[in-house]
Amino acid sequence: MARPPARTRTVALLVVAAALGAATACAPSTSVGSPGADRSTGTLRVWLFREVDNGPKTAVVDEAVAAFTRAHRGVRAEVTYIPVESRAQRMKAAFNDPASAPDVVEYGNTDTAGYVRDGGLADVTADLALWDEAKDTDPAAQRSVTVDGKLYGSPLFTGVRALYYRTDVFRELGLSPPRTQAELAATARRVHRERPELYGLAVGGAYTYGALPFLWAHGGELAGRKGRTYTAAIDSPRAKRGIAAYTALFGEDNCPASRCARMGGNDTVQAFASGKAAMAIAGDFNHRAIESGKVKGAYAVVPLPGVREGGIAPAFAGGNNIGVLRSSSHRTLAVDLMKALTGKRTQARLFDAMGFLPTFTDVRRAAARERPFVEPFVRTLAAGAKSVPASPAWAAIDAGQVLPTLFQEVVSGRADVDAATRKAARRMNEAFRNRALRS
């Protein structure tokens, strides 16, 4: 990602007084769950994800690490930036070979349950209970590091999606931003009818996180917890109503299945940014790509509407976390570094540099005041964002394209909603049985 044009001074000033607090706060010297020694000197190994434009992230991390090492004599930190795509193989190797494993690691929030099941992440519940900044963590972000009521990391940033729309097209057609999902569908069809060269609303059969708000807005769920595992709920009546609402947006009157069934999230964002769609469901993290496109200066963002007027559809709460490996021989230091890398000052600086949405509610409010484009995403989070089941099976369900297959079967006419959801539920339940959480 590119660096924003100016630093967010308000956000940085909000948290500057807490700058060294995150870097120097210490967990108990005998923290729970450490399998080995807890050394107070030496080198900490850190694995973070490499971004497309990693320079701004590196600068922020270097600043946080420098403050941390100044506060801890005899301690160094080696930071390695790894490709996101290689994280599964690297983490598997790290869990199997503690001697080469990092002490501190960045991971995606849908990876949490799988890493916990594999015994890789340390339980840091007691450590975070002593950290004053943690009380301001957004509940959705905190859920992303929670498995069975225990915390296995600290949230680094969050990301949600909202509705981008073309202000020029809406003005020409005398339209207002839709206030319900029924209005959204009607508006999309009217735009395509009057401007047939445009998708009214760009949708994608492979766009899972664009579809889920429709399922959730209708009261559906992906799965329900049952003992140590989950049971699919994708075939419940409410879930099916949400899936029917989403898949009804595919067709010659909006986004033809022949072109849109295979589209994913990036495709829908590109369709909007390139001027081929009047609306798209896109994230705060897509703002820069859209600003670089043909629609620059001719769009606005509002929360994706819910079923009833005034409601906001629950968005998928994405984002990354930072955790400590159970195999670390520097557990207390690793926890301190985790706090330094995810504390309020660092998150404010990452927002300045990368546009990453902070997970602390006070820092996020300051960000919204400084940059108005953030406000619809903050409102969406405040309305109650959701996530996928905290199950190690989710990685297999995601990799198996269970939900995209469901959507594509419906929009292509190969199956109706009832048949497609029954099939998806069977595949999900098989994954849940095979990857139940260990006791």
Side-chain angles (χ1 to χ4, degrees):
M1 299 181 186
R3 181 188 291 270
R7 291 187 56 203
T8 310
R9 294 184 295 275
T10 303
V11 182
L13 287 173
L14 172 70
V15 298
V16 69
L20 292 178
T24 60
C26 292
S29 59
T30 54
S31 299
V32 177
S34 179
D38 192 9
R39 299 172 187 161
S40 60
T41 60
T43 299
L44 295 177
R45 287 180 295 214
V46 183
W47 287 359
L48 302 178
F49 291 152
R50 185 168 64 232
E51 311 297 331
V52 175
D53 179 7
N54 207 53
K57 181 177 182 178
T58 299
V60 174
V61 169
D62 286 350
E63 180 182 306
V65 168
F68 169 80
T69 54
R70 284 195 301 269
H72 296 80
R73 296 180 62 183
V75 177
R76 293 179 62 248
E78 288 182 354
V79 181
T80 301
Y81 292 92
I82 67 172
V84 175
E85 298 78 13
S86 71
R87 72 188 189 281
Q89 298 90 333
R90 282 178 174 263
M91 291 302 291
K92 182 177 180 180
F95 296 163
N96 291 331
D97 182 16
S100 64
D103 298 276
V104 178
V105 67
E106 180 178 354
Y107 62 93
N109 63 9
T110 58
D111 296 327
T112 307
Y115 290 170
V116 170
R117 180 188 185 275
D118 292 339
L121 295 176
D123 174 1
V124 294
T125 308
D127 307 281
L128 294 182
L130 300 174
W131 189 27
D132 187 59
E133 290 191 7
K135 73 179 187 304
D136 294 321
T137 301
D138 174 77
Q142 180 146 318
R143 285 193 295 271
S144 77
V145 294
T146 304
V147 178
D148 284 345
K150 298 177 181 178
L151 303 179
Y152 292 91
S154 178
L156 177 64
F157 68 87
T158 192
V160 291
R161 292 163 177 82
L163 183 69
Y164 286 71
Y165 70 95
R166 290 273 299 275
T167 52
D168 55 342
V169 173
F170 273 52
R171 185 170 53 253
E172 290 168 12
L173 299 181
L175 298 170
S176 299
R179 296 165 296 178
T180 65
Q181 289 189 358
E183 283 189 13
L184 174 67
T187 300
R189 293 181 179 116
R190 180 178 167 189
V191 168
H192 187 67
R193 183 172 64 250
E194 301 196 27
R195 297 282 298 274
E197 75 279 9
L198 295 176
Y199 302 133
L201 171 68
V203 287
Y207 192 9
T208 297
Y209 299 127
L212 288 180
F214 292 81
L215 181 151
W216 288 326
H218 283 79
E221 297 289 347
L222 289 168
R225 186 70 182 265
K226 188 175 182 180
R228 298 295 299 175
T229 187
Y230 285 80
T231 300
I234 194 82
D235 55 346
S236 71
R238 290 181 177 180
K240 287 191 287 189
R241 283 198 290 271
I243 292 167
Y246 182 70
T247 53
L249 294 166
F250 293 79
E252 296 303 321
D253 57 355
N254 175 49
C255 201
S258 59
R259 282 179 278 169
C260 302
R262 294 181 180 234
M263 285 169 53
N266 288 342
D267 299 315
T268 63
V269 171
Q270 180 57 32
F272 184 82
S274 64
K276 296 178 182 177
M279 294 182 286
I281 300 165
D284 57 282
F285 42 86
N286 296 127
H287 180 253
R288 297 192 179 288
I290 292 171
E291 275 289 285
S292 300
K294 292 183 178 179
V295 299
K296 179 179 174 64
Y299 71 90
V301 185
V302 293
L304 183 68
V307 174
R308 296 178 181 82
E309 186 171 334
I312 296 175
F316 170 71
N320 289 354
N321 307 319
I322 289 185
V324 173
L325 265 67
R326 289 185 68 246
S327 59
S328 174
S329 59
H330 299 86
R331 190 188 190 285
T332 298
L333 288 172
V335 169
D336 286 352
L337 182 53
M338 175 188 73
K339 293 177 184 177
L341 291 172
T342 61
K344 291 186 177 182
R345 177 176 174 79
T346 303
Q347 288 200 18
R349 296 281 289 114
L350 282 171
F351 177 76
D352 292 345
M354 305 291 294
F356 290 170
L357 203 57
T359 66
F360 295 106
T361 54
D362 54 344
V363 183
R364 199 157 60 212
R365 284 194 298 269
R369 287 194 297 270
E370 185 73 18
R371 296 188 195 165
F373 90 84
V374 173
E375 189 270 342
F377 302 102
V378 173
R379 284 175 57 202
T380 298
L381 282 166
K386 299 172 76 85
S387 189
V388 299
S391 167
W394 188 257
I397 292 168
D398 195 30
Q401 297 284 293
V402 174
L403 295 183
T405 298
L406 184 166
F407 304 138
Q408 289 167 347
E409 286 184 340
V410 174
V411 303
S412 68
R414 295 196 304 271
D416 61 18
V417 172
D418 288 338
T421 54
R422 280 197 302 270
K423 179 180 176 181
R426 284 196 300 270
R427 293 182 64 191
M428 290 173 70
N429 284 331
E430 181 179 358
F432 288 137
R433 284 193 298 271
N434 291 340
R435 295 283 290 174
L437 282 166
R438 293 168 178 160
S439 300

